[in-house]
Amino acid sequence: MSSIHLQIGFLVPLLLWASVCDLKTRQIPNAVPFAILFLGLIHFSPFFSFAGLVCTGLPYWIGAICSSGKIGGGDIKLMAACGFAFGPLYGTLQSLFGLGLVLLFATVFAFRHGFQAAKNTALPLVPFLSAGGGVVILLAYLAR
């Protein structure tokens, strides 16, 4: 079994687990980002891995500070761990795909239920970020 298959076999269930937990409790178990971080050690390159951690996690940390806590610590830890595992390019792509999906969902929700209802509705971010991670895993697999 190649290392990419090993990563896919563990990353997808971890992202699904994080999504289900975020939908149910609005919290992500610490075991999920730590497991993803551990999987990042399979293709560990100090510069590549830590650049991905910073490039992917730092914007969420800044967003959490600027949004008065609307972005939680679980989102930050999950994305930093994904950046560590995916690297800066794929980590950033995961963010872009995930945030694009949440923006699309919020827009459809706003048109359907009204903009005031959409403004007052808190969406769990992890399912969208996990979907972005799924797209990135597929892209990484196809690029090989």
Side-chain angles (χ1 to χ4, degrees), residues 93-131:
L93 284 175
Q94 178 186 10
S95 287
L96 292 174
F97 285 125
L99 294 174
L101 286 172
V102 77
L103 181 62
L104 180 65
F105 182 85
T107 302
V108 170
F109 185 88
F111 278 113
R112 186 170 181 169
H113 299 286
F115 290 100
Q116 191 61 33
K119 184 178 176 184
N120 295 327
T121 302
L123 294 174
L125 192 55
V126 172
F128 299 100
L129 296 174
S130 295

mmCIF file of all heavy atoms in Angstrom, residues 93-131:
data_model
loop_
_atom_site.group_PDB
_atom_site.id
_atom_site.type_symbol
_atom_site.label_atom_id
_atom_site.label_comp_id
_atom_site.label_asym_id
_atom_site.label_seq_id
_atom_site.Cartn_x
_atom_site.Cartn_y
_atom_site.Cartn_z
ATOM 1 N N LEU A 93 -5.531 25.562 -1.004
ATOM 2 C CA LEU A 93 -6.618 25.131 -1.884
ATOM 3 C C LEU A 93 -7.781 24.549 -1.087
ATOM 4 O O LEU A 93 -8.950 24.795 -1.414
ATOM 5 C CB LEU A 93 -6.119 24.108 -2.903
ATOM 6 C CG LEU A 93 -5.297 24.653 -4.060
ATOM 7 C CD1 LEU A 93 -4.764 23.511 -4.922
ATOM 8 C CD2 LEU A 93 -6.119 25.615 -4.896
ATOM 9 N N GLN A 94 -7.466 23.798 -0.033
ATOM 10 C CA GLN A 94 -8.528 23.261 0.819
ATOM 11 C C GLN A 94 -9.346 24.402 1.420
ATOM 12 O O GLN A 94 -10.569 24.358 1.440
ATOM 13 C CB GLN A 94 -7.959 22.396 1.937
ATOM 14 C CG GLN A 94 -9.045 21.864 2.859
ATOM 15 C CD GLN A 94 -8.506 21.119 4.054
ATOM 16 O OE1 GLN A 94 -7.315 21.127 4.335
ATOM 17 N NE2 GLN A 94 -9.391 20.468 4.780
ATOM 18 N N SER A 95 -8.667 25.424 1.893
ATOM 19 C CA SER A 95 -9.361 26.584 2.454
ATOM 20 C C SER A 95 -10.227 27.266 1.408
ATOM 21 O O SER A 95 -11.386 27.603 1.666
ATOM 22 C CB SER A 95 -8.359 27.601 3.004
ATOM 23 O OG SER A 95 -7.781 27.146 4.187
ATOM 24 N N LEU A 96 -9.672 27.476 0.229
ATOM 25 C CA LEU A 96 -10.424 28.156 -0.826
ATOM 26 C C LEU A 96 -11.660 27.366 -1.246
ATOM 27 O O LEU A 96 -12.749 27.933 -1.390
ATOM 28 C CB LEU A 96 -9.522 28.430 -2.026
ATOM 29 C CG LEU A 96 -8.418 29.460 -1.807
ATOM 30 C CD1 LEU A 96 -7.513 29.539 -3.029
ATOM 31 C CD2 LEU A 96 -9.002 30.822 -1.488
ATOM 32 N N PHE A 97 -11.494 26.059 -1.444
ATOM 33 C CA PHE A 97 -12.644 25.233 -1.818
ATOM 34 C C PHE A 97 -13.677 25.209 -0.700
ATOM 35 O O PHE A 97 -14.879 25.360 -0.943
ATOM 36 C CB PHE A 97 -12.219 23.804 -2.169
ATOM 37 C CG PHE A 97 -11.567 23.668 -3.504
ATOM 38 C CD1 PHE A 97 -10.312 23.090 -3.619
ATOM 39 C CD2 PHE A 97 -12.195 24.106 -4.659
ATOM 40 C CE1 PHE A 97 -9.699 22.959 -4.850
ATOM 41 C CE2 PHE A 97 -11.592 23.973 -5.902
ATOM 42 C CZ PHE A 97 -10.338 23.403 -5.994
ATOM 43 N N GLY A 98 -13.234 24.999 0.530
ATOM 44 C CA GLY A 98 -14.157 24.928 1.661
ATOM 45 C C GLY A 98 -14.889 26.232 1.903
ATOM 46 O O GLY A 98 -16.111 26.248 2.105
ATOM 47 N N LEU A 99 -14.165 27.344 1.891
ATOM 48 C CA LEU A 99 -14.800 28.643 2.109
ATOM 49 C C LEU A 99 -15.689 29.030 0.932
ATOM 50 O O LEU A 99 -16.723 29.683 1.111
ATOM 51 C CB LEU A 99 -13.744 29.710 2.381
ATOM 52 C CG LEU A 99 -12.966 29.523 3.691
ATOM 53 C CD1 LEU A 99 -11.850 30.545 3.792
ATOM 54 C CD2 LEU A 99 -13.879 29.576 4.898
ATOM 55 N N GLY A 100 -15.308 28.620 -0.266
ATOM 56 C CA GLY A 100 -16.174 28.843 -1.424
ATOM 57 C C GLY A 100 -17.488 28.082 -1.292
ATOM 58 O O GLY A 100 -18.558 28.606 -1.617
ATOM 59 N N LEU A 101 -17.417 26.856 -0.787
ATOM 60 C CA LEU A 101 -18.636 26.067 -0.582
ATOM 61 C C LEU A 101 -19.542 26.692 0.474
ATOM 62 O O LEU A 101 -20.761 26.744 0.301
ATOM 63 C CB LEU A 101 -18.279 24.631 -0.184
ATOM 64 C CG LEU A 101 -17.741 23.741 -1.286
ATOM 65 C CD1 LEU A 101 -17.236 22.420 -0.716
ATOM 66 C CD2 LEU A 101 -18.829 23.485 -2.318
ATOM 67 N N VAL A 102 -18.949 27.160 1.572
ATOM 68 C CA VAL A 102 -19.781 27.774 2.614
ATOM 69 C C VAL A 102 -20.385 29.077 2.108
ATOM 70 O O VAL A 102 -21.533 29.407 2.435
ATOM 71 C CB VAL A 102 -19.004 27.951 3.946
ATOM 72 C CG1 VAL A 102 -18.057 29.116 3.916
ATOM 73 C CG2 VAL A 102 -19.966 28.104 5.112
ATOM 74 N N LEU A 103 -19.663 29.806 1.302
ATOM 75 C CA LEU A 103 -20.202 31.039 0.723
ATOM 76 C C LEU A 103 -21.363 30.733 -0.221
ATOM 77 O O LEU A 103 -22.402 31.408 -0.194
ATOM 78 C CB LEU A 103 -19.098 31.798 -0.012
ATOM 79 C CG LEU A 103 -19.489 33.111 -0.651
ATOM 80 C CD1 LEU A 103 -19.970 34.106 0.395
ATOM 81 C CD2 LEU A 103 -18.310 33.694 -1.416
ATOM 82 N N LEU A 104 -21.201 29.706 -1.035
ATOM 83 C CA LEU A 104 -22.274 29.289 -1.939
ATOM 84 C C LEU A 104 -23.507 28.848 -1.145
ATOM 85 O O LEU A 104 -24.639 29.251 -1.447
ATOM 86 C CB LEU A 104 -21.783 28.163 -2.849
ATOM 87 C CG LEU A 104 -22.775 27.602 -3.848
ATOM 88 C CD1 LEU A 104 -23.170 28.664 -4.870
ATOM 89 C CD2 LEU A 104 -22.178 26.389 -4.543
ATOM 90 N N PHE A 105 -23.288 28.050 -0.108
ATOM 91 C CA PHE A 105 -24.394 27.576 0.728
ATOM 92 C C PHE A 105 -25.101 28.744 1.407
ATOM 93 O O PHE A 105 -26.337 28.810 1.440
ATOM 94 C CB PHE A 105 -23.883 26.582 1.776
ATOM 95 C CG PHE A 105 -24.969 26.013 2.635
ATOM 96 C CD1 PHE A 105 -25.693 24.910 2.221
ATOM 97 C CD2 PHE A 105 -25.269 26.580 3.868
ATOM 98 C CE1 PHE A 105 -26.702 24.384 3.012
ATOM 99 C CE2 PHE A 105 -26.275 26.069 4.666
ATOM 100 C CZ PHE A 105 -26.992 24.965 4.242
ATOM 101 N N ALA A 106 -24.335 29.668 1.965
ATOM 102 C CA ALA A 106 -24.915 30.821 2.655
ATOM 103 C C ALA A 106 -25.698 31.705 1.687
ATOM 104 O O ALA A 106 -26.744 32.256 2.052
ATOM 105 C CB ALA A 106 -23.821 31.620 3.352
ATOM 106 N N THR A 107 -25.219 31.840 0.467
ATOM 107 C CA THR A 107 -25.926 32.644 -0.530
ATOM 108 C C THR A 107 -27.263 32.010 -0.890
ATOM 109 O O THR A 107 -28.297 32.697 -0.942
ATOM 110 C CB THR A 107 -25.054 32.818 -1.796
ATOM 111 O OG1 THR A 107 -23.818 33.428 -1.412
ATOM 112 C CG2 THR A 107 -25.752 33.657 -2.837
ATOM 113 N N VAL A 108 -27.256 30.712 -1.125
ATOM 114 C CA VAL A 108 -28.504 30.004 -1.435
ATOM 115 C C VAL A 108 -29.461 30.094 -0.234
ATOM 116 O O VAL A 108 -30.660 30.348 -0.404
ATOM 117 C CB VAL A 108 -28.220 28.533 -1.818
ATOM 118 C CG1 VAL A 108 -29.505 27.723 -1.893
ATOM 119 C CG2 VAL A 108 -27.457 28.473 -3.128
ATOM 120 N N PHE A 109 -28.929 29.916 0.965
ATOM 121 C CA PHE A 109 -29.745 30.020 2.176
ATOM 122 C C PHE A 109 -30.357 31.414 2.301
ATOM 123 O O PHE A 109 -31.533 31.562 2.646
ATOM 124 C CB PHE A 109 -28.873 29.702 3.404
ATOM 125 C CG PHE A 109 -29.648 29.653 4.692
ATOM 126 C CD1 PHE A 109 -30.243 28.470 5.113
ATOM 127 C CD2 PHE A 109 -29.771 30.774 5.495
ATOM 128 C CE1 PHE A 109 -30.952 28.422 6.295
ATOM 129 C CE2 PHE A 109 -30.476 30.740 6.683
ATOM 130 C CZ PHE A 109 -31.071 29.553 7.087
ATOM 131 N N ALA A 110 -29.578 32.440 2.011
ATOM 132 C CA ALA A 110 -30.062 33.817 2.115
ATOM 133 C C ALA A 110 -31.177 34.096 1.116
ATOM 134 O O ALA A 110 -32.172 34.747 1.456
ATOM 135 C CB ALA A 110 -28.909 34.802 1.908
ATOM 136 N N PHE A 111 -31.034 33.609 -0.101
ATOM 137 C CA PHE A 111 -32.083 33.830 -1.098
ATOM 138 C C PHE A 111 -33.345 33.040 -0.766
ATOM 139 O O PHE A 111 -34.453 33.483 -1.052
ATOM 140 C CB PHE A 111 -31.592 33.473 -2.503
ATOM 141 C CG PHE A 111 -30.787 34.566 -3.140
ATOM 142 C CD1 PHE A 111 -29.437 34.390 -3.400
ATOM 143 C CD2 PHE A 111 -31.369 35.782 -3.465
ATOM 144 C CE1 PHE A 111 -28.685 35.398 -3.979
ATOM 145 C CE2 PHE A 111 -30.631 36.799 -4.048
ATOM 146 C CZ PHE A 111 -29.278 36.608 -4.306
ATOM 147 N N ARG A 112 -33.156 31.904 -0.149
ATOM 148 C CA ARG A 112 -34.314 31.061 0.161
ATOM 149 C C ARG A 112 -35.045 31.496 1.427
ATOM 150 O O ARG A 112 -36.271 31.460 1.480
ATOM 151 C CB ARG A 112 -33.854 29.615 0.292
ATOM 152 C CG ARG A 112 -34.973 28.664 0.470
ATOM 153 C CD ARG A 112 -34.535 27.256 0.346
ATOM 154 N NE ARG A 112 -35.712 26.412 0.507
ATOM 155 C CZ ARG A 112 -35.740 25.163 0.256
ATOM 156 N NH1 ARG A 112 -34.665 24.569 -0.195
ATOM 157 N NH2 ARG A 112 -36.828 24.472 0.426
ATOM 158 N N HIS A 113 -34.299 31.897 2.471
ATOM 159 C CA HIS A 113 -34.899 32.202 3.769
ATOM 160 C C HIS A 113 -34.834 33.679 4.143
ATOM 161 O O HIS A 113 -35.306 34.057 5.205
ATOM 162 C CB HIS A 113 -34.223 31.378 4.862
ATOM 163 C CG HIS A 113 -34.364 29.909 4.672
ATOM 164 N ND1 HIS A 113 -35.546 29.236 4.896
ATOM 165 C CD2 HIS A 113 -33.472 28.973 4.255
ATOM 166 C CE1 HIS A 113 -35.378 27.955 4.641
ATOM 167 N NE2 HIS A 113 -34.135 27.766 4.242
ATOM 168 N N GLY A 114 -34.223 34.473 3.327
ATOM 169 C CA GLY A 114 -34.105 35.892 3.615
ATOM 170 C C GLY A 114 -32.735 36.226 4.193
ATOM 171 O O GLY A 114 -32.116 35.417 4.875
ATOM 172 N N PHE A 115 -32.292 37.418 3.887
ATOM 173 C CA PHE A 115 -30.948 37.814 4.294
ATOM 174 C C PHE A 115 -30.827 38.007 5.799
ATOM 175 O O PHE A 115 -29.778 37.756 6.379
ATOM 176 C CB PHE A 115 -30.522 39.076 3.539
ATOM 177 C CG PHE A 115 -30.281 38.820 2.082
ATOM 178 C CD1 PHE A 115 -31.238 39.134 1.135
ATOM 179 C CD2 PHE A 115 -29.106 38.222 1.670
ATOM 180 C CE1 PHE A 115 -31.019 38.867 -0.210
ATOM 181 C CE2 PHE A 115 -28.868 37.955 0.324
ATOM 182 C CZ PHE A 115 -29.836 38.278 -0.613
ATOM 183 N N GLN A 116 -31.896 38.435 6.464
ATOM 184 C CA GLN A 116 -31.832 38.604 7.918
ATOM 185 C C GLN A 116 -31.697 37.242 8.603
ATOM 186 O O GLN A 116 -30.936 37.095 9.558
ATOM 187 C CB GLN A 116 -33.078 39.349 8.426
ATOM 188 C CG GLN A 116 -32.969 39.801 9.856
ATOM 189 C CD GLN A 116 -31.818 40.777 10.075
ATOM 190 O OE1 GLN A 116 -31.472 41.568 9.215
ATOM 191 N NE2 GLN A 116 -31.214 40.711 11.240
ATOM 192 N N ALA A 117 -32.426 36.254 8.113
ATOM 193 C CA ALA A 117 -32.310 34.909 8.680
ATOM 194 C C ALA A 117 -30.910 34.347 8.453
ATOM 195 O O ALA A 117 -30.337 33.711 9.337
ATOM 196 C CB ALA A 117 -33.355 33.978 8.058
ATOM 197 N N ALA A 118 -30.366 34.592 7.287
ATOM 198 C CA ALA A 118 -29.017 34.108 6.992
ATOM 199 C C ALA A 118 -27.986 34.793 7.873
ATOM 200 O O ALA A 118 -27.029 34.161 8.330
ATOM 201 C CB ALA A 118 -28.685 34.332 5.522
ATOM 202 N N LYS A 119 -28.187 36.069 8.125
ATOM 203 C CA LYS A 119 -27.249 36.819 8.960
ATOM 204 C C LYS A 119 -27.239 36.303 10.386
ATOM 205 O O LYS A 119 -26.200 36.307 11.050
ATOM 206 C CB LYS A 119 -27.640 38.304 8.939
ATOM 207 C CG LYS A 119 -26.706 39.195 9.682
ATOM 208 C CD LYS A 119 -27.151 40.639 9.572
ATOM 209 C CE LYS A 119 -26.270 41.529 10.407
ATOM 210 N NZ LYS A 119 -26.726 42.917 10.401
ATOM 211 N N ASN A 120 -28.377 35.817 10.861
ATOM 212 C CA ASN A 120 -28.497 35.339 12.234
ATOM 213 C C ASN A 120 -28.269 33.839 12.380
ATOM 214 O O ASN A 120 -28.451 33.299 13.464
ATOM 215 C CB ASN A 120 -29.877 35.711 12.792
ATOM 216 C CG ASN A 120 -30.056 37.208 12.897
ATOM 217 O OD1 ASN A 120 -29.101 37.930 13.147
ATOM 218 N ND2 ASN A 120 -31.275 37.674 12.685
ATOM 219 N N THR A 121 -27.913 33.168 11.303
ATOM 220 C CA THR A 121 -27.695 31.723 11.336
ATOM 221 C C THR A 121 -26.205 31.422 11.376
ATOM 222 O O THR A 121 -25.456 31.872 10.509
ATOM 223 C CB THR A 121 -28.326 31.050 10.098
ATOM 224 O OG1 THR A 121 -29.722 31.359 10.070
ATOM 225 C CG2 THR A 121 -28.129 29.548 10.135
ATOM 226 N N ALA A 122 -25.807 30.670 12.384
ATOM 227 C CA ALA A 122 -24.405 30.243 12.494
ATOM 228 C C ALA A 122 -24.248 28.902 11.782
ATOM 229 O O ALA A 122 -24.992 27.959 12.048
ATOM 230 C CB ALA A 122 -24.008 30.112 13.963
ATOM 231 N N LEU A 123 -23.308 28.828 10.890
ATOM 232 C CA LEU A 123 -23.045 27.598 10.153
ATOM 233 C C LEU A 123 -21.798 26.917 10.704
ATOM 234 O O LEU A 123 -20.795 27.583 10.945
ATOM 235 C CB LEU A 123 -22.822 27.896 8.667
ATOM 236 C CG LEU A 123 -23.991 28.443 7.877
ATOM 237 C CD1 LEU A 123 -23.544 28.825 6.474
ATOM 238 C CD2 LEU A 123 -25.102 27.414 7.814
ATOM 239 N N PRO A 124 -21.851 25.598 10.888
ATOM 240 C CA PRO A 124 -20.616 24.892 11.246
ATOM 241 C C PRO A 124 -19.680 24.895 10.034
ATOM 242 O O PRO A 124 -20.085 24.566 8.923
ATOM 243 C CB PRO A 124 -21.098 23.488 11.602
ATOM 244 C CG PRO A 124 -22.404 23.336 10.911
ATOM 245 C CD PRO A 124 -22.996 24.711 10.787
ATOM 246 N N LEU A 125 -18.454 25.265 10.254
ATOM 247 C CA LEU A 125 -17.509 25.457 9.148
ATOM 248 C C LEU A 125 -16.825 24.158 8.726
ATOM 249 O O LEU A 125 -16.499 23.979 7.554
ATOM 250 C CB LEU A 125 -16.470 26.499 9.574
ATOM 251 C CG LEU A 125 -15.559 27.081 8.520
ATOM 252 C CD1 LEU A 125 -16.363 27.690 7.381
ATOM 253 C CD2 LEU A 125 -14.669 28.144 9.152
ATOM 254 N N VAL A 126 -16.630 23.251 9.651
ATOM 255 C CA VAL A 126 -15.826 22.053 9.371
ATOM 256 C C VAL A 126 -16.387 21.179 8.251
ATOM 257 O O VAL A 126 -15.612 20.681 7.438
ATOM 258 C CB VAL A 126 -15.589 21.244 10.671
ATOM 259 C CG1 VAL A 126 -14.938 19.908 10.385
ATOM 260 C CG2 VAL A 126 -14.727 22.048 11.625
ATOM 261 N N PRO A 127 -17.702 20.951 8.150
ATOM 262 C CA PRO A 127 -18.164 20.125 7.015
ATOM 263 C C PRO A 127 -17.763 20.694 5.662
ATOM 264 O O PRO A 127 -17.408 19.943 4.743
ATOM 265 C CB PRO A 127 -19.685 20.108 7.181
ATOM 266 C CG PRO A 127 -19.905 20.336 8.636
ATOM 267 C CD PRO A 127 -18.803 21.268 9.062
ATOM 268 N N PHE A 128 -17.775 22.011 5.530
ATOM 269 C CA PHE A 128 -17.387 22.641 4.270
ATOM 270 C C PHE A 128 -15.873 22.542 4.054
ATOM 271 O O PHE A 128 -15.414 22.275 2.942
ATOM 272 C CB PHE A 128 -17.842 24.096 4.252
ATOM 273 C CG PHE A 128 -19.323 24.244 4.353
ATOM 274 C CD1 PHE A 128 -19.926 24.572 5.566
ATOM 275 C CD2 PHE A 128 -20.142 24.031 3.253
ATOM 276 C CE1 PHE A 128 -21.299 24.704 5.671
ATOM 277 C CE2 PHE A 128 -21.517 24.160 3.342
ATOM 278 C CZ PHE A 128 -22.100 24.487 4.556
ATOM 279 N N LEU A 129 -15.111 22.745 5.126
ATOM 280 C CA LEU A 129 -13.653 22.620 5.026
ATOM 281 C C LEU A 129 -13.257 21.175 4.734
ATOM 282 O O LEU A 129 -12.302 20.926 3.996
ATOM 283 C CB LEU A 129 -12.989 23.113 6.309
ATOM 284 C CG LEU A 129 -13.176 24.601 6.623
ATOM 285 C CD1 LEU A 129 -12.594 24.921 7.996
ATOM 286 C CD2 LEU A 129 -12.572 25.470 5.552
ATOM 287 N N SER A 130 -13.998 20.234 5.305
ATOM 288 C CA SER A 130 -13.727 18.820 5.036
ATOM 289 C C SER A 130 -14.027 18.474 3.584
ATOM 290 O O SER A 130 -13.295 17.697 2.964
ATOM 291 C CB SER A 130 -14.555 17.936 5.970
ATOM 292 O OG SER A 130 -14.154 18.119 7.296
ATOM 293 N N ALA A 131 -15.097 19.042 3.044
ATOM 294 C CA ALA A 131 -15.394 18.827 1.620
ATOM 295 C C ALA A 131 -14.266 19.402 0.766
ATOM 296 O O ALA A 131 -13.851 18.786 -0.224
ATOM 297 C CB ALA A 131 -16.727 19.473 1.260
#
